[in-house]
Amino acid sequence: RGPRAVGGIFVGETSHAREWAGEELSFIKYVADLVVRMLDAHDRQVAEEGLRSFNEVLDIRVRQRTKELEETLDTLKMAQSELVRSEKLASLGGLVAGVAHEINTPLGVALTTVTHMGDAVTHFEDILESGKIKKTDLTNFVETANESATLIRRNLDRAAHLIRSFRMVAVDQAMGD
């Protein structure tokens, strides 16, 4: 299989030495080629199943992160609506704009990273469909996915931290008035 041997097929006759006919040699080569094709098909199937499983896990993680982001965004919207309704907190309008800007930075990084991960998935699917997948392709994809997940998690945590800080400032401001 390619540059490496994965096994051997021994064909012989024990009763006497003889020369093999061309048709016999062709048949042996054909059988060996079938075995190699079966091994390649099996490897491809294992890789596809692994990719499918990885994509399912990644999809679940993306949905979880999206839900957390939506909940964080809902929390921010509720905080903003409280500010609008309360005359005591009217002076925080400038602070809201600053916080939104600060939150947009980690959210923008998370969105960019998710987009990059989507491109990586598409590229990996193309390689997989071409049938020319290499171990380095899978390794590179896994590394990209791990780095992306870490970056997304870190930035969503940063956005959530900013929102919590914003809430504390708003509560302190309301208590001070």
Side-chain angles (χ1 to χ4, degrees):
R1 297 178 68 199
R4 65 186 174 92
V6 294
I9 298 176
F10 179 80
V11 179
E13 187 169 319
T14 57
S15 61
H16 65 283
R18 70 181 190 99
E19 287 224 9
W20 294 90
E23 302 87 20
E24 292 172 316
L25 292 174
S26 292
F27 178 75
I28 292 168
K29 287 178 185 177
Y30 175 74
V31 169
D33 186 53
L34 282 177
V35 170
V36 168
R37 287 177 192 225
M38 285 179 14
L39 291 171
D40 285 342
H42 177 265
D43 287 352
R44 203 168 21 262
Q45 181 182 11
V46 167
E48 288 173 358
E49 289 171 4
L51 180 60
R52 224 175 280 113
S53 175
F54 177 77
N55 281 339
E56 289 172 8
V57 168
L58 185 60
D59 187 51
I60 289 169
R61 286 184 181 168
V62 167
R63 277 193 237 130
Q64 288 171 339
R65 300 295 181 239
T66 300
K67 182 181 178 193
E68 291 172 7
L69 183 58
E70 288 171 349
E71 290 172 359
T72 301
L73 188 57
D74 288 344
T75 301
L76 179 60
K77 286 179 181 178
M78 285 176 30
Q80 286 175 330
S81 103
E82 288 292 325
L83 285 174
V84 169
R85 283 185 271 153
S86 172
E87 284 183 15
K88 291 180 181 181
L89 300 178
S91 63
L92 292 178
L95 181 59
V96 171
V99 168
H101 174 74
E102 289 296 320
I103 291 171
N104 279 337
T105 300
L107 294 181
V109 170
L111 181 60
T112 301
T113 305
V114 165
T115 301
H116 172 70
M117 189 59 218
D119 292 344
V121 168
T122 300
H123 176 69
F124 189 74
E125 287 173 337
D126 291 344
I127 292 171
L128 189 60
E129 287 176 13
S130 75
K132 296 179 182 174
I133 188 167
K134 296 177 279 198
K135 184 177 181 179
T136 56
D137 295 326
L138 184 56
T139 301
N140 290 340
F141 181 75
V142 169
E143 287 174 4
T144 298
N146 283 333
E147 290 170 3
S148 295
T150 300
L151 192 58
I152 291 167
R153 185 178 307 113
R154 188 179 317 135
N155 279 281
L156 292 177
D157 286 345
R158 175 72 179 134
H161 172 74
L162 288 168
I163 290 169
R164 283 191 299 275
S165 297
F166 171 71
R167 281 179 145 176
M168 288 192 302
V169 168
V171 167
D172 288 350
Q173 190 74 22
M175 297 290 241
D177 288 344

